[in-house]
Amino acid sequence: MQYPSLESLRGLAAIMVALFHSSFVVAAYPPLVGEASIFVDFFFILSGFVLALAYSEKIDQGLDFKTFTLLRFGRLYPLHLFMLLMWLPYILLKGYAHFELNLGGNPFDKNSITTFIANLFLVNGMGATQTLSWNYPAWSISVEFFTYLVFFAFISITPRNRKPFLYLLVSLVSYALLYQQTGSSLLSADQFGFPRCVGGFFLGAFIFTQTQDRYITFRPMVSHMLETAVVIATLLLVWQSHDDKTVQLATFVSFALMICVFTIQSGGWFSSLLSTAPLLFIGTLSYSIYMTHALVFIVFDNIAEYVLGVPTSEIFRAGMGMQQVFQTPFASLINLFALAVVIGLSFGTYTFIEKPWRARFRRLAQAREQSSNLG
């Protein structure tokens, strides 16, 4: 990315979402981890910013729909398909354990042929199913892909000078719809994920229009204070966002402001920290971390429950309802080990799936564009 701080922030958000999906707790989650599902909205807002940066000018200059779709499909789908196929033997083994060994619930209640097809065709987050299934974090990949198509159509039909206002208008309308249609929380994944994504994506695109070519050199102390203020404000809002739609909206705005702050300047100590190699490495792997973590953590769950017999209880988790969790004093160590496995697996998927297939689709798009120009 052009902005290394944003790359690292995306990686940290992916780690937080992974920890949110962990079932290993002592009594209750730390406040930030317990509300970390809202960091998915940070992904949506950042995606809008990045796509506006990468494609708005190209689309205005004539990038065609098929080439754009090919590029974005190549970015998301290969890893999505790989992880979906990784889940298939796991669910079949769970089914065998349920029916033949009388262990665990019926995994086919949610993970059916119908939901597999919905995942395969990337409509799993578009209301085609009534519940999250298979590699359940992939609901956001589904809605994001279709938001890309809306974004292309939007840029193609709107005048350049009106785009900022219209970006903001689309975001506000989407968030208003989300606010009206949801219950106590805006963090709907299975039914209202699409307006949630559109609202964040176009908010990010709006932030891009306001920060484009605007870099400000502040005094170091001002940069330190500005970055510290926006980070602390964001974390406090995340902490207080549980089932409060107004605070959740404020958190979305704080995500946008944080992107703005780390875009227009980079003189603070947070920028320096976020530009370090380890955090940039995590940022590079962020998509793979997001897509692989659920399977890793659920395998750890099965080992704890069926092999080690770790005692369980139920707690309420924002956006997920009542969930079974494991009560163990080693929860933190288990989570760290699971994260290490996730990062190792993510390095493999990034190296052998994500990166090469993205390059192949890019070459395919370039060949198609050259053929179209010759024609």
Side-chain angles (χ1 to χ4, degrees), residues 160-210:
R160 183 189 297 262
N161 61 337
R162 295 185 181 179
K163 280 185 173 62
F165 168 75
L166 293 174
Y167 283 154
L168 184 59
L169 180 62
V170 171
S171 177
L172 292 174
V173 170
S174 298
Y175 278 145
L177 176 65
L178 185 66
Y179 194 96
Q180 182 183 28
Q181 295 297 318
T182 51
S184 61
S185 174
L186 300 176
L187 309 186
S188 171
D190 49 351
Q191 296 300 313
F192 302 103
F194 186 57
R196 180 180 168 189
C197 180
V198 170
F201 191 94
F202 278 85
L203 177 58
F206 171 74
I207 292 299
F208 166 73
T209 65
Q210 303 307 299

Side-chain angles (χ1 to χ4, degrees), residues 271-330:
S271 288
S272 298
L273 177 64
L274 292 169
S275 298
T276 57
L279 291 182
L280 289 173
F281 175 72
I282 295 298
T284 299
L285 301 182
S286 59
Y287 179 48
S288 281
I289 290 171
Y290 182 75
M291 292 297 286
T292 63
H293 77 267
L295 183 58
V296 171
F297 273 99
I298 206 166
V299 169
F300 271 68
D301 289 353
N302 293 159
I303 293 172
E305 184 172 5
Y306 300 118
V307 178
L308 302 178
V310 178
T312 63
S313 63
E314 286 194 340
I315 63 171
F316 181 83
R317 296 167 66 186
M320 298 184 73
M322 297 302 296
Q323 294 288 311
Q324 175 180 285
V325 297
F326 296 95
Q327 294 183 316
T328 168
F330 303 107

